[in-house]
Amino acid sequence: MPAFEEKEPQNLFLEQVIRTPGRQPSPQPTHLSVPFGNQPHRVIHDRSPGYVAPKFEGKERQMDQVMDQLEGIGFIPPEFIETETSWFYNDLGIDDMYFQTETVAAIVNHVLSLYAAKVAAYARDDKRLEIRLDKEAADHAVCIDTSKPGVSTMDGPRYEQRIDEKYLNNSTASNSYRVETFRSSGVLPGDSEQQLRCYFVYKCNFSNPNPGPEATKLSIIGEQTFLLKATENTKEIYQEIIQNAVARTGPVIEMFDIEGSREKRLVVAYRQGSAMGFFSALSDLYHYYGLTSSRKYVEQFSNGITIMSLYLKPLPASVSNARHPPIEASIHQIMKEISLLYCIPQNKFQSHFASGRLSLQETIYAHCVWVFVGHFLNRLGSEYTSLSSLLDSTNSVHAEILSKIKRRLRTETFTADYILEIIRQYPDLVRSLYLTFANAHYVQTRGEQDDFLPTLSYLRLQVDKILTDEELKDLISKSAANEHHEMVMTSFRIFNAAVLKTNFYTPTKVALSFRLDASFLPAVEYPQPLYGMFLVISSEFRGFHLRFRDIARGGIRIVKSRNKEAYSINARSLFDENYNLANTQQRKNKDIPEGGSKGVILLDVQHQDKARVAFEKYIDSIMDLLLPPVSPGIKDPIVDLHGQKEILFMGPDENTADLVDWATEHARRRGAPWWKSFFTGKSPKLGGIPHDAYGMTTLSVREYVEGIYRKLNLDPKKVRKLQTGGPDGDLGSNEILLGNEKYTSIVDGAGVLVDPNGLDYNELLRLAKKRAMISQYDSSKLSSEGYRVLVEENNVRLPSGEMVNNGMMFRNTFHLRGNLNVDCFVPCGGRPESIDLSSVHKLIVDGKSTIPYIVEGANLFITQDAKLRLEKAGAILFKDASANKGGVTSSSLEVLASLSFDDRGFEQNMCIREDGTAPQFYKDYVKEVQETIKRNAMLEFEAIWREHQQTGVARSTLSDTLSIAITKLDEELQNTDLWKKIELRRSVLEDALPQLLLEKIGLDTILERVPDNYLRAIFGSYLASRFVYQFGSSPSQFAFFDFMSRRMAKADPNRSSGKSSPRLLTSQPDVENPESNSMISQPSYSEALPIHTPTRRLSRPAAAAPPPEIPQARPESEQAIQESASSTTTEPRPAASTVGKQEVRVSSSHGDRSTVSMPSPLHQSESANSLANETISTPQPKSTQDTSAPTDESTANSAGISTVPQTNGVNGIDNS
């Protein structure tokens, strides 16, 4: 377990809070009415219930008919019939709407049931009266139950929970229900505590069921019965609340004093479907504080808003408890906790809350830690640690094996249910642990001098003892029954220590978010340290956002589960999947300033239809931790132990593409200064550059496909091609539109389409433009050997005579058939690990790959070990992290434009106009983005091709090696004094920034507007990528000197005139100018280069003299060997040498110098995987001459994809 620093107990006030520098007010996502100074809560002068039911003129006649039928039945003695009937009609608080709705027979049944319950109670020993009756019809329901004021019922029918589940949770405009519930004014006969609680549920009848979500006029969106019964005062209140609710993401909470009474009217509005189980949970909340309700109403509105109105009053003196505070104090706490309850209405420890054993805050805290423990409890054991120490975590094959073992081990020990069972046994420990959490993060805005009464949370911190971490550790050790219990409860301490800031105590919120210090993660499991981690929890979902750098970008995906089993699997792997996706993004983002990040939202198994609700809550709750607070009681200040300003850059991913515009607009509404850059992938009207419309991702993939054709002098029209991911998808459709190969097979969600003689190209273009599946392919255009098998089809006979028994299984495994007779395979869609080590043998016959050329367009389609196996069998294969980076490049340049323009300039130059026309700058900028994508892809393709030819190392390994080399060098360049050299900085940025932005805005203005850390990231990533692409992953010790000399010469015009020349300096410190001794310390750079390079002269620009040959150095320790490589060579090595890092100093004409510690190339580690050792035999090109493959530009242009000219004769070298 990690060591914990002991914290002194402290009660935090506003002036003590560590706040992010420059935090300024911003609009709140929810609304909470709070009294200030001499402005108390609003007072309702109308003491009526707020509803007046239309008088039922036939009530007296109906009552007579009821008594007549009761007399005919004979169950009730004649002398009691009138009194029982009168009691039912006049004393239970039932309004005329019920009597007008119900039939005489139904009312007779209810009266008989109540009388029978009284008789049964008389026969009981305890004489307790229990009445439970309910009736459900197609359009209404009635439930009547005995109820003790202020007590939540833990057994019995639990009518409120049933009403939640059946009528309220799934409300929509077309299918929703309103609820009225009343408590009888007096106690039941013979029982001093019991009262009757009646519930009436009615199906809504709207005059206008589809007014639109922004409609607010009550007369348009109101339900007809509500409009008929509500008083004018109630309508005025609801009208104002609805207007607030439509403008908010979360709940609107208002409280009104009732004139001449201690009774309070609490009104809560929220969006339909955003709070499941809320109605019943509210009862548990006010019961906990010693209040009861006389009546409650739930109203639905056709614009998607739900309003609950509760009339709360103190418990009768006879049942009141001394521990309950007066209503004037508790009502404020209830209002604050409604927002907490809204986040998780039914938490896993609800029974402890309903019984009063734990408070709402304590149970929701325990729920959040339960989620945390389920993901991070270290349960892999010493065996995993031993195994991981033997394997090389930098080797992608080894990392993949460790990931699979970890996944298997985690399913066999602590389950979510087992963890829950343990926590439930220790409510007292939970209370003590919660107090430590609250002491660190609760803020009383102005202490005892606050404008309103101090909250009960604050008062508890003054009274209860807050334990130190050592005391907590000792208490857990003494209380835990066994080792497992101690591990689980100790995780609470880890959670408390990890939380840097949270919105837990923010009065208005929609989900709970925690910014965590990720240092608690064990390095053996997560070798690449995270920079930032957010955990978000709500009733509908749980989610993470992970990033590896301060400046990082990545998509947000929503994960759905088909069933409970699938959900369980997804929950166990959620964090690891998020971590791996962010890590992959980190490698993919090698050419751009942003590091890798990713957000994953896992929908709860019961809320698979709540994707939009979950996304909105996820985004808004994270923004609570990024944006500053506003007025006290609405967005109180938070304790910020991180203490640094943070900006996140996000984008679309699985199931979120249509939600990006909302996130952008929401950031603008909340006053985020970075709203323009918050999300990429937004619509062009908001300045977005859609990847699919302009083929951004495909342009990068095509550069690799066409690069193979160019290198091997192949005619694309004769290349037989297989593609997974069909014409209905982004990548698949654009691959068809931009390519001109001979398609023989396409697999998509609909099934499999095959024609060995070539599919009709014009028909494929038609589907791609239409974004239609292959199910719409005109089968008359198939040859006699062609066929189509859809997933829903069974027992289909192919032209060859083969019988397909199951279309779904045929589709899922088609790409693994060894007799496909294709030359090129481009996966543009499909599930991760569709080809792994257990299935790759199906694509290898007689030791040779059945598919010669593979470009992995779809993320993670082929596992790393399977890639290496295919390359060993002769396939030319380029992996996703290299080929599929066009989208991230486009997104990065979209972010840069949004940061560079002010709001006005952004709208004028980057936003599509209302009439659909695009500004000229937007059109030109899109073309420049496309050029950049193609140039970056070409540079990396050429570097990988060259390195493979020179070393024989697998291209899949080289891709990772280059990525690691670039990112490591990038990080170290950003931390040197090179950034302080103004001329160099400006020169690099002038090359790195898009020319159009420089011309339109100017470098000086960009330097003022774009955050400094973002510009540093651009500076580092540009230099690092250009250096590695030009000089390879095992450069000589003079390579960086040569590279930087050219950069310095370009930055300083005096160099070109011969006034000064770069000097190679010794590695001794400069005594006269000590500040010039800054170094780029790069041991990690050498360790990131796992490629053995034979003694050779590297390719150099023509103007540069070749460097001397460098002897190969062998690591001097076994640890160094393990750290230095991820693949090996069988070539004999020289003896261990003292040759190490060579220092190169680059001097400018001004005398300032930066010393660069350059690594010598290292041999591969002998412990690395053997698949990466072997020289890969690949088809040799027929000609070394570069020729551009022809493309069908007219087809691409007709599809709306703006293609850019091909670049020829460039070997991927940027000589600048």
Side-chain angles (χ1 to χ4, degrees):
M1 294 296 174
F4 289 84
E5 294 183 4
E6 183 172 321
K7 295 182 181 178
E8 291 295 327
Q10 55 180 331
N11 296 320
L12 299 172
F13 297 96
L14 177 58
E15 57 270 18
Q16 296 174 298
V17 178
I18 305 170
R19 288 190 294 272
T20 300
R23 289 171 77 95
Q24 299 297 325
S26 70
Q28 64 275 14
T30 56
H31 177 86
L32 176 68
S33 71
V34 178
F36 291 96
N38 297 320
Q39 299 179 356
H41 290 294
R42 286 181 287 179
V43 178
I44 298 177
H45 301 286
D46 180 7
R47 297 195 61 187
S48 72
Y51 288 79
V52 179
K55 186 175 180 181
F56 178 31
E57 299 294 343
K59 187 174 182 179
E60 292 294 331
R61 185 172 67 254
Q62 184 192 66
M63 188 173 174
D64 290 338
Q65 292 173 348
V66 168
M67 288 190 289
D68 289 342
Q69 288 199 21
L70 288 173
E71 187 174 1
I73 294 172
F75 179 72
I76 302 176
E79 62 269 25
F80 294 150
I81 288 178
E82 185 173 354
T83 56
E84 291 296 324
T85 306
S86 178
W87 176 69
F88 184 81
Y89 267 79
N90 301 320
D91 295 345
L92 296 186
I94 303 173
D95 68 17
D96 283 8
M97 179 63 68
Y98 163 79
F99 297 107
Q100 190 168 1
T101 305
E102 289 291 356
T103 64
V104 171
I107 297 172
V108 167
N109 186 45
H110 291 165
V111 174
L112 285 171
S113 299
L114 293 175
Y115 182 77
K118 294 178 185 179
V119 173
Y122 183 78
R124 290 171 55 136
D125 291 337
D126 59 6
K127 305 299 182 187
R128 184 177 178 185
L129 178 60
E130 284 191 356
I131 298 173
R132 293 171 180 171
L133 63 90
D134 55 80
K135 176 198 170 184
E136 294 181 288
D139 59 350
H140 71 281
V142 178
C143 305
I144 301 176
D145 192 13
T146 45
S147 170
K148 183 179 177 181
V151 177
S152 293
T153 305
M154 304 301 295
D155 53 10
R158 307 191 73 187
Y159 287 129
E160 292 196 352
Q161 284 78 7
R162 287 170 60 180
I163 289 171
D164 263 332
E165 293 168 5
K166 187 164 185 178
Y167 298 106
L168 298 182
N169 285 351
N170 300 311
S171 290
T172 62
S174 60
N175 183 35
S176 56
Y177 293 84
R178 57 184 303 272
V179 179
E180 298 180 10
T181 173
F182 312 96
R183 180 177 293 279
S184 62
S185 55
V187 297
L188 293 174
D191 194 323
S192 62
E193 296 183 350
Q194 297 278 79
Q195 293 178 322
L196 276 187
R197 169 68 79 177
C198 304
Y199 301 90
F200 303 96
V201 183
Y202 302 100
K203 188 173 178 63
C204 292
N205 184 15
F206 297 109
S207 299
N208 186 347
N210 299 298
E214 303 300 319
T216 58
K217 193 171 182 181
L218 213 59
S219 59
I220 295 176
I221 63 176
E223 198 271 340
Q224 292 183 11
T225 305
F226 164 78
L227 295 174
L228 193 63
K229 294 179 64 175
T231 63
E232 288 304 315
N233 182 63
T234 294
K235 290 178 182 177
E236 289 176 10
I237 292 172
Y238 280 29
Q239 180 66 73
E240 180 182 343
I241 288 174
I242 283 175
Q243 289 172 345
N244 286 326
V246 167
R248 308 292 180 191
T249 309
V252 173
I253 307 164
E254 292 274 8
M255 195 273 282
F256 302 88
D257 292 317
I258 307 250
E259 188 178 35
S261 168
R262 293 183 70 193
E263 191 173 43
K264 312 291 182 183
R265 185 178 182 183
L266 195 59
V267 184
V268 183
Y270 59 95
R271 297 183 183 275
Q272 288 175 346
S274 64
M276 318 296 268
F278 197 43
F279 178 63
S280 57
L282 280 173
S283 298
D284 293 336
L285 177 59
Y286 62 72
H287 288 166
Y288 182 83
Y289 289 105
L291 303 182
T292 186
S293 63
S294 58
R295 55 196 183 278
K296 299 187 284 191
Y297 301 91
V298 181
E299 300 293 352
Q300 309 286 358
F301 296 88
S302 59
N303 65 344
I305 299 295
T306 297
I307 296 183
M308 294 184 182
S309 188
L310 318 177
Y311 289 77
L312 303 179
K313 61 183 181 181
L315 289 174
S318 60
V319 294
S320 182
N321 191 313
R323 75 180 179 89
H324 295 139
I327 188 172
E328 290 76 13
S330 61
I331 192 66
H332 171 62
Q333 186 74 14
I334 289 171
M335 291 177 66
K336 291 191 73 173
E337 292 194 5
I338 282 175
S339 179
L340 187 62
L341 189 69
Y342 173 84
C343 298
I344 310 176
Q346 300 290 335
N347 68 74
K348 290 293 182 180
F349 304 91
Q350 192 77 15
S351 59
H352 282 331
F353 172 49
S355 65
R357 194 165 187 185
L358 291 174
S359 70
L360 178 68
Q361 294 179 5
E362 289 162 345
T363 56
I364 291 186
Y365 162 77
H367 178 99
C368 293
V369 182
W370 168 72
V371 172
F372 174 87
V373 173
H375 290 293
F376 300 115
L377 185 63
N378 185 2
R379 52 199 186 277
L380 298 180
S382 58
E383 293 83 358
Y384 177 86
T385 305
S386 300
L387 179 62
S388 62
S389 66
L390 295 175
L391 298 178
D392 180 7
S393 62
T394 63
N395 183 320
S396 53
V397 176
H398 292 187
E400 205 165 86
I401 293 170
L402 284 171
S403 176
K404 291 177 180 178
I405 294 173
K406 179 166 59 176
R407 203 178 311 155
R408 174 67 62 86
L409 288 173
R410 283 187 167 169
T411 65
E412 298 174 353
T413 49
F414 287 77
T415 65
D417 290 339
Y418 182 42
I419 295 170
L420 182 62
E421 178 187 331
I422 292 173
I423 298 174
R424 281 177 174 163
Q425 297 178 41
Y426 300 98
D428 293 333
L429 269 182
V430 168
R431 186 178 293 109
S432 297
L433 289 157
Y434 166 75
L435 280 175
T436 304
F437 171 81
N439 189 54
H441 295 283
Y442 184 79
V443 179
Q444 180 70 11
T445 51
R446 289 175 57 189
E448 297 175 0
Q449 291 73 45
D450 215 328
D451 289 325
F452 43 78
L453 289 169
T455 64
L456 300 180
S457 301
Y458 174 73
L459 294 175
R460 281 196 61 191
L461 293 176
Q462 308 302 304
V463 176
D464 293 351
K465 176 175 173 55
I466 300 168
L467 303 179
T468 66
D469 190 65
E470 275 303 315
E471 290 172 330
L472 281 173
K473 181 179 179 181
D474 185 58
L475 180 62
I476 291 171
S477 180
K478 292 178 179 177
S479 304
N482 56 48
E483 182 184 2
H484 282 184
H485 290 208
E486 185 173 358
M487 288 175 65
V488 170
M489 299 312 297
T490 298
S491 296
F492 279 72
R493 292 175 47 237
I494 298 174
F495 176 80
N496 287 352
V499 177
L500 298 177
K501 51 184 173 178
T502 176
N503 69 347
F504 192 93
Y505 295 104
T506 301
T508 57
K509 52 191 167 289
V510 295
L512 297 172
S513 55
F514 304 89
R515 170 61 162 90
L516 302 176
D517 177 357
S519 61
F520 67 88
L521 293 173
V524 68
E525 295 184 48
Y526 306 100
Q528 181 76 7
L530 286 168
Y531 178 88
M533 177 196 300
F534 289 85
L535 168 63
V536 186
I537 302 172
S538 179
S539 58
E540 296 89 0
F541 71 95
R542 64 182 63 176
F544 289 98
H545 186 274
L546 310 177
R547 72 190 200 273
F548 283 97
R549 288 191 191 170
D550 181 17
I551 300 297
R553 203 200 70 80
I556 309 299
R557 67 169 51 182
I558 296 175
V559 177
K560 298 182 178 182
S561 310
R562 296 187 305 276
N563 49 45
K564 265 190 171 183
E565 182 182 359
Y567 174 78
S568 180
I569 294 171
N570 289 335
R572 283 196 298 266
S573 63
L574 175 64
F575 181 81
D576 285 351
E577 177 183 343
N578 198 159
Y579 181 90
N580 292 334
L581 287 169
N583 208 0
T584 300
Q585 195 76 28
Q586 172 84 346
R587 294 195 299 271
K588 191 186 295 186
N589 289 9
K590 62 181 80 68
D591 298 322
I592 62 176
E594 299 96 339
S597 73
K598 209 72 173 182
V600 178
I601 301 169
L602 175 65
L603 294 179
D604 186 79
V605 68
Q606 303 294 336
H607 301 286
Q608 293 299 300
D609 59 338
K610 296 292 189 298
R612 185 178 186 90
V613 170
F615 178 83
E616 292 181 0
K617 289 185 175 184
Y618 174 90
I619 294 298
D620 189 75
S621 60
I622 287 180
M623 290 179 67
D624 284 345
L625 304 185
L626 302 178
L627 292 174
V630 286
S631 53
I634 304 297
K635 283 292 180 187
D636 286 344
I638 63 173
V639 177
D640 187 354
L641 300 177
H642 183 55
Q644 298 178 23
K645 186 177 180 180
E646 292 187 283
I647 303 176
L648 301 184
F649 301 104
M650 303 179 179
D653 205 314
E654 289 181 13
N655 300 310
T656 60
D658 58 337
L659 303 173
V660 168
D661 283 3
W662 176 88
T664 303
E665 292 284 14
H666 186 64
R668 175 155 60 176
R669 284 194 298 269
R670 287 200 62 177
W674 29 259
W675 68 269
K676 303 187 300 295
S677 60
F678 185 39
F679 258 86
T680 56
K682 52 190 176 289
S683 72
K685 290 185 177 180
L686 292 172
I689 301 176
H691 298 172
D692 57 349
Y694 297 104
M696 297 304 191
T697 308
T698 311
L699 286 172
S700 178
V701 174
R702 288 301 304 172
E703 194 64 35
Y704 282 82
V705 174
E706 292 172 2
I708 294 173
Y709 300 159
R710 184 176 67 248
K711 292 292 185 182
L712 303 183
N713 198 22
L714 302 175
D715 181 358
K717 294 181 180 179
K718 297 180 181 179
V719 173
R720 297 166 299 178
K721 184 175 181 180
L722 161 66
Q723 179 176 311
T724 58
D728 60 312
D730 167 10
L731 191 54
S733 63
N734 286 324
E735 179 67 19
I736 292 172
L737 293 172
L738 291 177
N740 60 346
E741 295 93 339
K742 179 182 178 181
Y743 274 93
T744 59
S745 310
I746 293 182
V747 182
D748 70 1
V752 177
L753 181 66
V754 177
D755 195 331
N757 297 315
L759 294 166
D760 187 276
Y761 188 63
N762 291 325
E763 180 65 3
L764 290 179
L765 288 179
R766 182 185 71 83
L767 295 183
K769 293 175 184 178
K770 187 180 176 182
R771 288 293 180 89
M773 288 187 171
I774 60 170
S775 56
Q776 298 187 35
Y777 184 90
D778 184 356
S779 57
S780 67
K781 298 183 181 296
L782 291 171
S783 71
S784 59
E785 299 178 57
Y787 59 86
R788 178 177 61 196
V789 179
L790 303 181
V791 292
E792 63 269 16
E793 294 179 333
N794 296 319
N795 301 320
V796 178
R797 189 168 296 280
L798 305 183
S800 64
E802 178 185 353
M803 176 66 73
V804 175
N805 297 318
N806 184 288
M808 177 71 75
M809 188 175 298
F810 185 71
R811 189 278 307 270
N812 292 345
T813 59
F814 180 82
H815 62 281
L816 296 171
R817 292 167 69 89
N819 58 349
L820 294 177
N821 294 322
V822 297
D823 305 308
C824 180
F825 177 26
V826 182
C828 294
R831 295 301 303 163
E833 301 184 4
S834 291
I835 302 176
D836 60 15
L837 199 58
S838 65
S839 60
V840 70
H841 68 276
K842 297 178 182 179
L843 298 178
I844 300 173
V845 177
D846 298 330
K848 184 177 178 62
S849 172
T850 60
I851 305 177
Y853 321 120
I854 303 174
V855 177
E856 188 182 25
N859 285 324
L860 307 176
F861 188 85
I862 310 173
T863 63
Q864 182 71 3
D865 46 12
K867 290 187 182 85
L868 295 177
R869 185 74 73 187
L870 286 167
E871 289 203 60
K872 181 183 177 183
I876 295 178
L877 190 152
F878 288 93
K879 69 182 298 182
D880 53 349
S882 294
N884 183 4
K885 64 178 184 177
V888 300
T889 303
S890 174
S891 296
S892 178
L893 293 173
E894 181 183 326
V895 167
L896 180 61
S898 66
L899 292 172
S900 302
F901 281 109
D902 58 17
D903 284 6
R904 181 180 175 85
F906 184 75
E907 292 177 3
Q908 289 177 344
N909 293 283
M910 287 296 295
C911 296
I912 302 298
R913 305 181 186 99
E914 290 296 328
D915 60 2
T917 59
Q920 187 58 45
F921 179 87
Y922 182 91
K923 298 177 184 177
D924 295 340
Y925 193 67
V926 167
K927 292 179 181 178
E928 185 166 5
V929 170
Q930 291 174 322
E931 291 277 7
T932 303
I933 290 171
K934 291 173 70 67
R935 180 169 59 250
N936 287 346
M938 181 186 63
L939 286 172
E940 185 174 2
F941 172 85
E942 294 289 348
I944 293 173
W945 190 276
R946 182 181 66 245
E947 288 279 320
H948 173 74
Q949 285 190 319
Q950 293 170 345
T951 67
V953 175
R955 297 178 180 86
S956 300
T957 301
L958 289 170
S959 176
D960 291 338
T961 302
L962 290 174
S963 296
I964 293 170
I966 290 171
T967 53
K968 291 289 184 184
L969 181 58
D970 175 10
E971 290 170 1
E972 298 187 8
L973 281 170
Q974 292 184 47
N975 294 322
T976 66
D977 287 341
L978 290 173
W979 172 255
K980 296 179 182 178
K981 304 178 188 301
I982 304 300
E983 296 90 345
L984 176 64
R985 179 198 309 176
R986 294 180 66 92
S987 172
V988 171
L989 291 178
E990 283 173 351
D991 287 344
L993 295 174
Q995 191 63 31
L996 279 172
L997 281 180
L998 291 170
E999 294 172 358
K1000 187 74 175 180
I1001 302 174
L1003 180 59
D1004 291 331
T1005 305
I1006 292 175
L1007 292 173
E1008 291 174 6
R1009 291 175 178 171
V1010 179
D1012 184 73
N1013 53 355
Y1014 196 91
L1015 291 169
R1016 276 178 178 265
I1018 294 175
F1019 176 86
S1021 64
Y1022 184 82
L1023 286 178
S1025 62
R1026 268 45 186 180
F1027 171 72
V1028 173
Y1029 287 156
Q1030 181 173 346
F1031 292 98
S1033 56
S1034 298
S1036 73
Q1037 78 268 39
F1038 291 107
F1040 195 78
F1041 164 77
D1042 181 73
F1043 177 80
M1044 288 307 301
S1045 295
R1046 292 170 179 272
R1047 288 298 332 178
M1048 290 291 190
K1050 186 171 184 179
D1052 186 356
N1054 292 330
R1055 288 178 177 275
S1056 58
S1057 62
K1059 294 182 180 179
S1060 178
S1061 60
R1063 292 175 289 141
L1064 179 64
L1065 304 178
T1066 68
S1067 59
Q1068 299 300 315
D1070 187 339
V1071 179
E1072 295 181 2
N1073 193 11
E1075 69 271 13
S1076 68
N1077 293 324
S1078 59
M1079 298 175 64
I1080 303 179
S1081 177
Q1082 293 196 88
S1084 57
Y1085 180 54
S1086 64
E1087 293 163 9
L1089 308 180
I1091 299 173
H1092 166 61
T1093 308
T1095 303
R1096 59 182 171 79
R1097 296 182 186 273
L1098 293 172
S1099 300
R1100 310 274 296 168
E1109 294 181 357
I1110 307 300
Q1112 304 300 309
R1114 181 174 180 173
E1116 297 183 339
S1117 69
E1118 187 61 29
Q1119 180 181 2
I1121 292 176
Q1122 290 182 355
E1123 293 177 349
S1124 69
S1126 65
S1127 56
T1128 66
T1129 180
T1130 55
E1131 181 180 332
R1133 305 187 191 187
S1137 168
T1138 57
V1139 175
K1141 293 194 290 284
Q1142 305 293 323
E1143 287 188 355
V1144 179
R1145 290 186 183 172
V1146 181
S1147 173
S1148 71
S1149 60
H1150 303 291
D1152 54 355
R1153 291 167 290 197
S1154 285
T1155 306
V1156 181
S1157 176
M1158 289 303 299
S1160 297
L1162 300 178
H1163 282 283
Q1164 302 298 338
S1165 164
E1166 294 180 0
S1167 66
N1169 187 278
S1170 60
L1171 281 175
N1173 291 344
E1174 305 185 31
T1175 302
I1176 309 298
S1177 62
T1178 56
Q1180 294 300 313
K1182 297 177 182 177
S1183 170
T1184 56
Q1185 180 180 359
D1186 285 353
T1187 59
S1188 296
T1191 59
D1192 191 340
E1193 296 234 358
S1194 62
T1195 300
N1197 288 328
S1198 66
I1201 298 177
S1202 177
T1203 57
V1204 292
Q1206 301 286 337
T1207 52
N1208 301 321
V1210 181
N1211 289 320
I1213 305 300
D1214 183 341
N1215 290 326
S1216 64

